[in-house]
Amino acid sequence: MRAERSTIVFYIMGYIVISVLTLLCLLPFWLIISGSLSAEDDIIRDGFQLVPQHFSFDAYKAVFSNPMQIFKAYEVTIGLTLAGTALGLFFTSMAGYVLSRKDFKYRDKLAFFIYFTTLFSGGLIPWYIMIVNYLNWKDSYMALLVPSLLSAWNIILMKNFMKSIPDSIVESAKIDGAGEFTIYRRLILPLSTPGLATIGLFLGLAYWNDWFSANIFITTESKYPLQFLLYKILASAAVLKTNIAGNLGADFKAPAETLKMAVAIVVTGPIIFLYPFVQRYFVKGLTIGAVKG
């Protein structure tokens, strides 16, 4: 009886703690939503409130004053995110599979080379020179897509995850006459779903949130990804450039504080719906890949 009571008390306390932590995590996001729907004068006078005193959609009108520009930026960002995540998963999984194979002759040397890149880098200026002068990717989507395809951390995580797959599976497939790519495609990839989902989430978030690459390499406004376009909108000079004031009337003053909140909602809204689909794989893939040596 005492054991059962202690178990019940433990579960009750656990649910209470988790509920409190959940509310604490949701509170900032709710304040962002409330701030984006509040009147600018209310925020300046009273600060951010859980419930708007006066509802106002001026911030969203400012963001979507040129809707085609926003939709084009969404198109660019979604395209880069999908293509980058798919290609990144393909190359990362192939690299992880090769490094996880004990019969690969140069495994240790290649693994050291990949790990070495996490300790040292060439720096921003050599990277810029290589992209612009040698690869000629200035104002090209390739400058946004290719550099983020592979990450040493993702490769190491995938390698450690694939090492948890029993070697007997690969050996039995070889006895049956399967080639390396057949083993990789038909056996290793289906068994690596948690790891692929975890790394896919990392890649998707990286591409979705990337604005710095566009700031350096992209000069054509129609090629701006969403994050960089909204960054430009938040800047005072960029607000005038995007014709917010002209589209909404001569007397309209673009909001400042509420505009920041609306931009945060526009940016995080779509990508936040991705997490529930990979949540069940995320913890498993991260912990297995991190623990296995």
Side-chain angles (χ1 to χ4, degrees), residues 77 80-90 92 148-149 151 153-154 157-158 192-210 227 268-287:
T77 299
L80 288 172
T81 301
L82 294 178
T85 302
L87 292 174
L89 282 177
F90 177 68
T92 301
S148 301
L149 282 179
S151 165
W153 159 253
N154 290 340
L157 187 66
M158 181 57 69
S192 303
T193 302
L196 292 173
T198 302
I199 294 177
L201 181 61
F202 290 159
L203 288 170
L205 290 175
Y207 278 104
W208 186 271
N209 293 323
D210 184 25
Q227 297 280 1
T268 60
I271 197 65
I272 203 172
F273 292 104
L274 176 66
Y275 184 76
F277 296 100
V278 297
Q279 180 181 9
R280 58 174 178 167
Y281 301 112
F282 183 76
V283 175
K284 181 179 178 181
L286 185 61
T287 54

Side-chain angles (χ1 to χ4, degrees), residues 21-33:
L21 292 176
T22 301
L23 291 176
L24 291 177
C25 293
L26 291 176
L27 181 60
F29 193 73
W30 178 256
L31 284 175
I32 293 175
I33 297 176

Side-chain angles (χ1 to χ4, degrees), residues 97-155:
Y97 172 64
V98 170
L99 294 177
S100 68
R101 294 293 303 272
K102 296 179 181 179
D103 54 349
F104 179 48
K105 182 178 179 180
Y106 302 103
R107 184 183 69 161
D108 294 337
K109 295 180 180 179
L110 186 58
F112 173 77
F113 176 79
I114 294 174
Y115 173 73
F116 186 81
T117 61
T118 64
L119 304 177
F120 304 95
S121 65
L124 178 61
I125 295 177
W127 178 53
Y128 180 85
I129 293 175
M130 182 186 68
I131 296 294
V132 175
N133 293 346
Y134 291 94
L135 298 177
N136 295 319
W137 286 348
K138 181 70 174 180
D139 200 29
S140 171
Y141 291 131
M142 297 296 289
L144 306 180
L145 178 66
V146 175
S148 301
L149 282 179
L150 286 174
S151 165
W153 159 253
N154 290 340
I155 293 176

